[in-house]
Amino acid sequence: KFIYPENHIRYILAFIVLMIFYFTIRSFFERISMDVVKEKLIYCTNISLAISLFYYFLGVFAASKISNWNNVRVYGVLLDRGIPRMIGFISDDPNIFVFFITIGFMYSLTNLKESNNNKLLAILSGACILLSFSRGAYLAIGISIIFIMLIKGRISEKIKSILVLLAISIGFIYIAKLFGIDIVDIVLSRFSNLLSDRGSGRIELWRNALKTFANNPIFGIGINSTIPYGISNYNNSHYVHNTLLEVMSEGGIISFSFLSIWIVSLYRY
């Protein structure tokens, strides 16, 4: 569907650029070892996370002079309803920031033995996730750890991973407290407010996405149409904050079926 041509074309063009980039550098990656690529990626990620942490605490110091702590960005901090949420220097949204960080964290947590860089990645990414104060990230990591405990490695390795996670958490809870940030208190308040703030409005967004899918079940409303459709039909200008529901509403049952097949294939291989 092309209900909103400008939004669809923008996303399609971005996809084409991405594919051109992929096929351009594909031959380059075929000439080098994937172990080398992985090593360099982890090394660069550690540097970016260290800079992001510095940028965050710089923002915390600057925020002490600000009275309004609601939707204000200061260096690497988003002051969100009185909470200093980490966004680093590569994003202006803690949810987008923590999404990529969580991927690195889960990889490092399950591959601690490979190198010291992996251990450092676990520490830095764990700190960034804590300071993002993202309830979704906390829940996703908790579910992932349960999943890992059920299928991966020996009992001793599972226990070691959990102990590493606890050590990282306790260490940065203490460090953050030195800067006046009570992580435990903020996390508890975030979850205690879950019902009152309805998941920061996500419950309403998810309900709208299901309603959109029900009204457009086959082909959906078209790629990258959530915001303009939400403004027109629900007086809401936010993304769904749920990939599965967004694919269902924008691509209908056809796109959702392809996505489901792809996810299942990942478990197979």
Side-chain angles (χ1 to χ4, degrees):
K1 284 189 176 182
F2 276 81
I3 302 176
Y4 306 99
E6 181 180 342
N7 295 78
H8 307 322
I9 292 173
R10 185 186 303 120
Y11 205 92
I12 291 170
L13 289 175
F15 179 77
I16 291 173
V17 170
L18 183 63
M19 288 297 98
I20 291 173
F21 175 75
Y22 168 74
F23 285 109
T24 300
I25 67 171
R26 182 177 177 179
S27 60
F28 168 75
F29 281 112
E30 289 176 347
R31 300 174 188 174
I32 60 178
S33 167
M34 289 308 298
D35 289 335
V36 174
V37 174
K38 183 168 62 175
E39 179 186 347
K40 300 306 178 185
L41 280 174
I42 294 173
Y43 179 77
C44 292
T45 301
N46 284 337
I47 293 176
S48 66
L49 292 180
I51 296 173
S52 291
L53 284 166
F54 173 77
Y55 204 48
Y56 171 81
F57 285 108
L58 192 64
V60 169
F61 282 121
S64 62
K65 303 176 182 178
I66 298 175
S67 57
N68 176 30
W69 276 42
N70 188 29
N71 199 29
V72 177
R73 290 168 177 80
V74 186
Y75 297 111
V77 178
L78 170 65
L79 304 175
D80 180 22
R81 291 164 291 181
I83 299 173
R85 304 185 63 187
M86 183 171 181
I87 57 176
F89 74 98
I90 57 176
S91 174
D92 61 356
D93 188 320
N95 297 304
I96 294 175
F97 175 76
V98 79
F99 172 76
F100 292 104
I101 301 307
T102 301
I103 295 174
F105 176 73
M106 294 310 303
Y107 169 79
S108 61
L109 192 64
T110 53
N111 294 274
L112 290 172
K113 290 184 176 180
E114 286 191 4
S115 69
N116 290 329
N117 277 335
N118 281 11
K119 295 181 177 67
L120 181 60
L121 177 58
I123 294 171
L124 294 177
S125 58
C128 291
I129 291 168
L130 274 176
L131 295 173
S132 72
F133 299 109
S134 170
R135 291 172 294 199
Y138 296 160
L139 292 173
I141 290 172
I143 294 171
S144 298
I145 288 175
I146 293 173
F147 189 71
I148 290 169
M149 289 178 65
L150 293 174
I151 67 171
K152 184 179 176 63
R154 295 174 298 180
I155 296 296
S156 60
E157 293 178 350
K158 298 173 183 178
I159 293 174
K160 182 178 180 180
S161 295
I162 294 173
L163 291 176
V164 169
L165 178 61
L166 288 173
I168 292 171
S169 302
I170 293 171
F172 276 95
I173 286 172
Y174 177 76
I175 293 172
K177 204 160 188 175
L178 297 177
F179 289 89
I181 304 170
D182 192 332
I183 292 179
V184 174
D185 184 61
I186 294 174
V187 171
L188 290 176
S189 66
R190 289 277 287 163
F191 280 97
S192 64
N193 294 334
L194 187 60
L195 293 178
S196 61
D197 70 3
R198 300 176 66 80
S200 298
R202 283 174 174 77
I203 293 177
E204 189 66 28
L205 294 172
W206 298 343
R207 183 184 294 116
N208 292 344
L210 290 171
K211 189 185 299 183
T212 301
F213 171 69
N215 294 332
N216 305 271
I218 307 302
F219 297 106
I221 58 174
I223 193 169
N224 198 34
S225 298
T226 294
I227 289 182
Y229 189 88
I231 293 173
S232 300
N233 294 272
Y234 308 119
N235 194 29
N236 196 310
S237 60
H238 294 86
Y239 287 106
V240 179
H241 288 283
N242 185 299
T243 301
L244 298 178
L245 291 178
E246 189 161 329
V247 171
M248 285 177 63
S249 60
E250 290 189 352
I253 192 64
I254 295 178
S255 295
F256 184 75
S257 297
F258 280 112
L259 175 65
S260 300
I261 292 170
W262 177 72
I263 292 175
V264 172
S265 70
L266 293 179
Y267 287 99
R268 179 181 177 184
Y269 296 104

